[in-house]
Amino acid sequence: MKNNEMHILVTVDENYLKPLEVMLYSMYQHHQKHKVVVWLIHEKITEKQLAPLRKLLGKFKWDLEAIKIEDDFFEGAPTVERYPKEMYFRLLCGDILPKDLHRVLYLDPDLLVINSLLPLWQMDLEGSLLAAATHTGVTNITTGLNNLRLNTDHNYYNSGVMLIDLDVARDKINLKDIGETIEKYASLLLLPDQDVLNHLYGHYIKEIPDEIWNYDARKYISYLTRSVGKYDLHWLMENTAILHFCGKPKPWQAKSDTKFTALYLDYARQMDYL
């Protein structure tokens, strides 16, 4: 891994390729002078389906490394059929990505990058498995509920943005533990891979501020209230790096009408003119 390269991990199926393109286009606007390698772990996307993404990244002079996972990768994991296989890929990326790759920044496709990611990419993880943010809101009631549900004693981390130390991941994360956790907590899992991440590995996570690195686009008023008026739109555009469109509807869907929908659609329109 070269020091001047940023390595981005995405795990999507064919239905999320277009949102993925928009996300990566938004990232490119703030990293035009940087070398980026995009690692796409998938199960069944065809080369024909990947062609528009390859073309787009070619315009950026970025590399796309697509890794197709074969069925035998999950041998001995009976629970895998309950959930989309893509949910396992980010948890098990240490076993999938090349051994000479030591860190990767995982990004969900349903987000916009609106400032530089370099401070996050270059962050010292201090031995932690990964860095991630929590979405606690104003009252923080959900943390207590999640602690009861998952038998944890720490904040509940969102898995949509994760800076991962792959060497630590290779040491700590394995499919057997994930499968056993899913079997044990099956009826309590609301967001399976995120719940598993928190239950098994929450103590190894370094917390990063969500208002900068994983801003929940649904909760503008909550952020504004929590900061006593500081985190307004002007502050956000200057300081926030990642806008995350959690929940539904997504900003590319007709029913979406949030404070940030127009910003998303503008990025999508700009990309179409490339």
Side-chain angles (χ1 to χ4, degrees), residues 1-7 100-104 121:
M1 181 171 66
K2 299 177 182 178
N3 291 332
N4 63 341
E5 288 183 343
M6 186 184 303
H7 291 260
D100 61 351
L101 189 62
H102 302 293
R103 72 165 44 193
V104 71
W121 173 250

Side-chain angles (χ1 to χ4, degrees), residues 97-207:
L97 295 172
K99 295 299 184 284
D100 61 351
L101 189 62
H102 302 293
R103 72 165 44 193
V104 71
L105 178 58
Y106 171 83
L107 298 175
D108 269 353
D110 60 343
L111 56 80
L112 288 178
V113 177
I114 60 173
N115 277 302
S116 176
L117 298 179
L118 285 180
L120 177 58
W121 173 250
Q122 296 169 349
M123 178 180 291
D124 184 356
L125 285 172
E126 303 174 303
S128 297
L129 167 63
L130 58 90
T134 64
H135 288 154
T136 54
V138 177
T139 61
N140 203 16
I141 293 174
T142 56
T143 294
L145 295 175
N146 285 320
N147 287 344
L148 286 172
R149 183 169 61 89
L150 300 171
N151 192 28
T152 57
D153 59 3
H154 51 73
N155 285 337
Y156 184 82
Y157 296 98
N158 182 275
S159 59
V161 177
M162 299 185 292
L163 178 66
I164 304 170
D165 184 320
L166 292 171
D167 295 319
V168 178
R170 293 173 185 121
D171 179 59
K172 294 190 178 300
I173 300 177
N174 63 77
L175 186 56
K176 179 176 179 292
D177 290 342
I178 293 171
E180 290 176 352
T181 297
I182 290 175
E183 290 289 349
K184 181 177 180 180
Y185 290 93
S187 62
L188 299 175
L189 299 181
L190 303 178
L191 300 169
D193 60 335
Q194 191 165 274
D195 286 348
V196 170
L197 173 75
N198 278 273
H199 175 72
L200 287 175
Y201 311 113
H203 283 294
Y204 307 110
I205 297 177
K206 179 176 181 176
E207 186 169 348

